[in-house]
């Protein structure tokens, strides 16, 4: 399932800066220009993560974050020009999960979103099935037709990331940055891990699960 991102900012330039990038990364997006509209959208849509400016009309970002956290389990990343220590602390006190100061790089924003969604999806979604392939994230087990397929810890981390964001394309660099225990050198190592994962899946009968998007990276098929 594609993750849906709510972008809350009263500056059209910021919306037009972020929205196309997230669309290219495979996210669905919805936007709000003030705090009241943001709360209404939260009630009408299933939102996976919120990008929230502080200085917005009607309800400021801190108030919006408090309301979101009272009603939903949705993570919030504050994106704001306010950057002193008190502002940062207040963002976390009100329930924010992360903080990014303007101006920022889109690549950094994308990685922060991925990291937070990976954590929240992993804890909220214990198992996931793709036809006869079943992934148990809490037990680090992958089964095909109820038969266990052995994977190393690094291989499982790659499968976990791809399968929790199915149909989203990850570059070799993205995968490398996400692997907590991967200390080796980058591209060739990822290519070799993908090769071994595919071999084990194919051998078990679960073929054609990971697609190569030539020139970009890899994605998990639904």
């Amino acid at each position: 399932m594609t993750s849906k991102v709510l972008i809350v900012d009263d500056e059209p330039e910021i919306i037009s800066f972020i929205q196309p990038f997230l669309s290219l990364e495979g996210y669905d997006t919805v936007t709000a220009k003030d705090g009241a509209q943001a709360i209404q959208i939260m009630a009408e849509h299933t939102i996976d993560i919120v990008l929230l400016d502080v200085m917005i009309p009607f309800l400021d970002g801190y108030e919006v974050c408090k309301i979101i956290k009272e009603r939903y389990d949705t993570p919030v990343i504050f994106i704001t020009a306010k950057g002193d220590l008190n502002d940062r602390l207040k963002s976390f006190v009100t329930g924010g999960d992360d903080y990014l100061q303007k101006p920022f790089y889109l690549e950094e924003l994308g990685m922060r979103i991925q990291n937070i969604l990976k954590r929240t999806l992993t804890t909220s979604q214990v198992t996931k099935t793709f036809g006869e392939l079943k992934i148990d994230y809490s037990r680090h087990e992958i089964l095909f037709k109820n038969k266990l397929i052995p994977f190393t810890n690094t291989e499982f981390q790659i499968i976990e990331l791809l399968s929790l964001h199915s149909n989203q394309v990850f570059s070799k660099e993205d995968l490398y940055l996400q692997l907590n225990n991967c200390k080796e050198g980058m591209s060739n190592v990822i290519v070799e891990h993908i090769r071994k994962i595919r071999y084990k899946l194919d051998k078990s009968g679960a073929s054609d699960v990971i697609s190569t998007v030539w020139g970009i990276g890899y994605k998990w098929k639904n």
Side-chain angles (χ1 to χ4, degrees):
M1 183 186 299
T2 303
S3 298
K4 182 173 286 188
V5 182
L6 170 58
I7 308 167
V8 188
D9 203 300
D10 61 337
E11 297 182 50
E13 297 82 4
I14 296 297
I15 300 291
S16 61
F17 177 60
I18 297 174
Q19 197 169 25
F21 170 77
L22 293 182
S23 296
L24 286 174
E25 290 291 300
Y27 297 104
D28 286 338
T29 59
V30 60
T31 65
K33 60 184 178 182
D34 60 58
Q37 188 180 17
I39 297 303
Q40 181 179 349
I41 289 172
M42 289 295 299
E44 296 174 349
H45 296 261
T46 301
I47 301 297
D48 296 295
I49 190 166
V50 179
L51 307 181
L52 181 60
D53 187 22
V54 172
M55 296 179 288
I56 50 177
F58 299 113
L59 295 170
D60 69 22
Y62 299 128
E63 290 300 319
V64 171
C65 186
K66 286 180 183 178
I67 293 171
I68 289 174
K69 292 299 183 176
E70 287 171 357
R71 301 178 184 178
Y72 313 99
D73 294 323
T74 309
V76 174
I77 299 178
F78 278 98
I79 298 179
T80 177
K82 296 170 70 67
D84 64 33
L85 178 60
N86 288 335
D87 294 319
R88 291 175 179 272
L89 292 176
K90 189 172 182 179
S91 71
F92 292 113
V93 168
T94 55
D97 297 270
D98 204 349
Y99 187 103
L100 191 58
Q101 186 176 353
K102 300 175 184 176
F104 55 87
Y105 292 104
L106 288 172
E107 293 79 6
E108 181 181 1
L109 173 63
M111 193 58 65
R112 288 173 184 266
I113 292 171
Q114 286 181 20
N115 285 338
I116 290 176
L117 287 179
K118 180 184 176 182
R119 292 198 301 267
T120 56
L121 288 172
T122 300
T123 55
S124 65
Q125 195 166 11
V126 178
T127 64
K128 198 170 183 179
T129 57
F130 303 88
E132 295 183 277
L133 184 71
K134 178 181 178 181
I135 303 175
D136 189 323
Y137 299 104
S138 63
R139 301 181 64 175
H140 278 220
E141 290 183 349
I142 300 175
L143 302 94
F144 184 72
K145 294 184 177 179
N146 293 321
K147 185 176 180 180
L148 183 66
I149 308 172
F151 288 101
T152 67
N153 184 56
T154 299
E155 289 166 355
F156 185 87
Q157 285 184 54
I158 293 173
I159 292 171
E160 179 181 37
L161 179 63
L162 292 174
S163 62
L164 285 173
H165 305 85
S166 55
N167 286 326
Q168 181 177 334
V169 180
F170 289 85
S171 69
K172 294 188 288 287
E173 290 76 15
D174 290 336
L175 293 171
Y176 176 81
L177 289 171
Q178 292 284 342
L179 298 183
N180 298 325
N181 299 316
C182 186
K183 304 298 184 185
E184 309 111 309
M186 197 159 61
S187 330
N188 292 337
V189 172
I190 296 300
V191 170
E192 181 62 15
H193 283 313
I194 294 290
R195 186 193 67 78
K196 290 179 179 178
I197 291 169
R198 282 174 166 160
Y199 173 77
K200 292 178 182 181
L201 289 170
D202 289 345
K203 189 177 179 180
S204 71
S207 59
D208 199 30
V209 176
I210 299 175
S211 297
T212 298
V213 181
W214 294 106
I216 304 177
Y218 306 99
K219 70 176 182 178
W220 187 276
K221 290 184 178 179
N222 272 324

